[in-house]
Every structure is written in structure tokens, then in C-alpha cells.
Amino acid sequence: MITERDEFIYHEMLSHVPLFVHPDQKEVLIIGGGDGGTLREVLRHPEVKKAVVVEIDEMVVDVCKRFFPEVSLGFDDPRGEVVFEDAAKFLVNNKNKYDLILCDSSDPVGPAEVLFQKNFHEMISESLSPDGIFVAQSESPIFHGETIEKVYKNLKDIFPIVKMYLAHIPTYPSGTWSFAFCSKKYDPLAGFLQKKYDSLRLSTKYYNNKVHAASFMLPNFVQSLVE
């Protein structure tokens, strides 16, 4: 699901929040992300040496290259690589490798359902470096409360640091969307890299350092879903 009007919100928040926390993210894995928007934002960080997109549907990439060129421009960057494969199969052969894994998935129905299961998250953890960070979109707190409760319970069994953050995306159901920040080492607030943020001076439309901090401040009904 993508629109040109507000795609930047989702892609900036999925990407820059962890990228401004991990101090040395050379290799990044993007699961899904066939529209290229997450890849575009990841590659705006010059320290990223390689970003791999694992997309199960080749047609998604082809269509987005044709109709959303401003979103998919990251596919032209030599640091980017696209692999058309089931993500679970890909992870089996890539252990302890990635500093950052971003799950840019569709809703947990059909082919994407496995991406919300505990065994898949365990595979994610095994594919991360010892200090790696995993971030995934985690649905609407208003419409998908039961899913969120189950997913965050599973994530807390796997990662020592698990926190939700929010973004306001008009196109998405309810307009309020959540992301799961899961880390083996770095806290998303205490570990925010202010010096890196100041020196990089990214020109973003939604994300900034104040939004980074504020996005982790949850309303009570949302906080109760992840406690």
C-alpha cells in the first residue's frame, strides 16, 4: 500500500529511527520493501556499505519502478541489491550478518502472515550482528490491538530491548501506525546519535530529532498493548 502524497512518512520513520541509533550500520537487510522507499532512505546514510532488499514478488519492483520513480530510485544505487526470494529461506543462509534488519511488510494475512510469527523473529535475531537492531511495522494500535499484544510479547522473549513508536500516516487505517524497535544493545532514546544527526543534515519531510524522541511517547491505551 503506497501513495505518493504520504509515503515519505512511513519510509522515513521505518529507516531513520534505527539508523540514528546504531553507531556502525554497514550492512542493512530490508525484508519486503519492493517499492524501494525504505531502500531510498537507508542509502541516504553514507556509512551504509550495502543494503539488500529481499522481496518475494518481482512484479512489485517492476511496477514501482514504472509508476513510482521517485520512490524506487534507490534501486539504481550500486550499494543496493535486490533478491527475489522468500525471506525465511533467505535468513537461513545469512546468520550473524546484518547490523540492521528492517521489515517493510504488508498486513499479517496471506504470504506476509509468517513475518509476524515468533519463529520468524527468532530467525531475524540469528541473522543480526551481536549488536544489531530490528525494526518492523506493527500495524494500527486502534484496529489491530490483539495482533500487537501477541507480536510484542513474542519480541520481548527474543530481544532485551523492545519499544513501540508511532507515526501519523493518513493513508493507513486509522491514521496512526506503529513500529517495533527491537535491539540487542542500543536504547532508541538514550542511544540517539545527536552528533551524527547534526553532521549529516538530512533534508527530511517528516522525521527529525524531536520527532524521533516524541514518537516513543505512547498514549495510555497504546502503552497497555505492549506492557
Side-chain angles (χ1 to χ4, degrees):
M1 182 167 59
I2 181 174
T3 67
E4 290 178 319
R5 182 175 290 273
D6 64 7
E7 58 83 13
F8 63 90
I9 304 173
Y10 176 88
H11 292 130
E12 287 183 8
M13 291 299 286
L14 181 64
S15 305
H16 298 308
V17 170
L19 282 161
F20 279 112
V21 174
H22 197 291
D24 190 29
Q25 67 283 43
K26 291 184 173 65
E27 293 206 36
V28 178
L29 175 64
I30 301 168
I31 295 172
D35 56 48
T38 302
L39 178 65
R40 177 195 66 197
E41 296 303 316
V42 166
L43 293 177
R44 298 179 70 189
H45 291 251
E47 68 274 18
V48 174
K49 304 302 181 186
K50 184 177 182 180
V52 179
V53 176
V54 178
E55 170 61 57
I56 197 170
D57 190 348
E58 188 171 355
M59 187 180 292
V60 172
V61 175
D62 292 339
V63 168
C64 288
K65 283 182 177 180
R66 179 179 179 187
F67 293 105
F68 298 96
E70 293 186 3
V71 179
S72 60
L73 55 84
F75 291 123
D76 297 325
D77 192 306
R79 294 176 295 157
E81 177 186 348
V82 184
V83 178
F84 297 108
E85 188 177 351
D86 180 272
K89 293 180 180 178
F90 181 87
L91 290 173
V92 169
N93 298 314
N94 290 274
K95 304 292 186 182
N96 302 310
K97 183 173 183 180
Y98 295 100
D99 305 304
L100 227 67
I101 296 180
L102 309 178
C103 191
D104 183 357
S105 69
S106 53
D107 294 328
V109 293
E113 186 175 4
V114 65
L115 305 182
F116 289 77
Q117 303 302 317
K118 186 174 184 178
N119 60 345
F120 182 76
H121 294 145
E122 289 171 339
M123 294 172 69
I124 291 283
S125 178
E126 292 171 0
S127 294
L128 284 169
S129 59
D131 64 346
I133 296 174
F134 168 54
V135 171
Q137 72 88 1
S138 55
E139 301 292 296
S140 164
I142 294 176
F143 290 138
H144 308 117
E146 289 186 11
T147 297
I148 287 173
E149 287 180 330
K150 292 177 183 177
V151 167
Y152 279 77
K153 181 180 183 300
N154 291 340
L155 290 171
K156 288 181 177 182
D157 287 342
I158 301 168
F159 294 94
I161 298 172
V162 177
K163 294 190 177 181
M164 176 190 279
Y165 63 98
L166 301 175
H168 304 290
I169 309 174
T171 298
Y172 285 23
S174 80
T176 300
W177 211 251
S178 71
F179 301 83
F181 181 103
C182 310
S183 175
K184 295 185 176 183
K185 182 177 180 179
Y186 304 110
D187 182 274
L189 296 175
F192 178 72
L193 302 171
Q194 184 66 49
K195 289 184 178 179
K196 176 189 173 182
Y197 177 83
D198 293 339
S199 63
L200 195 54
R201 296 182 180 180
L202 281 184
S203 177
T204 49
K205 295 180 180 180
Y206 186 90
Y207 176 87
N208 60 44
N209 58 335
K210 293 181 180 180
V211 167
H212 180 109
S215 66
F216 287 92
M217 305 297 110
L218 305 179
N220 289 340
F221 83 96
V222 181
Q223 184 65 48
S224 67
L225 296 175
V226 297
E227 288 178 344

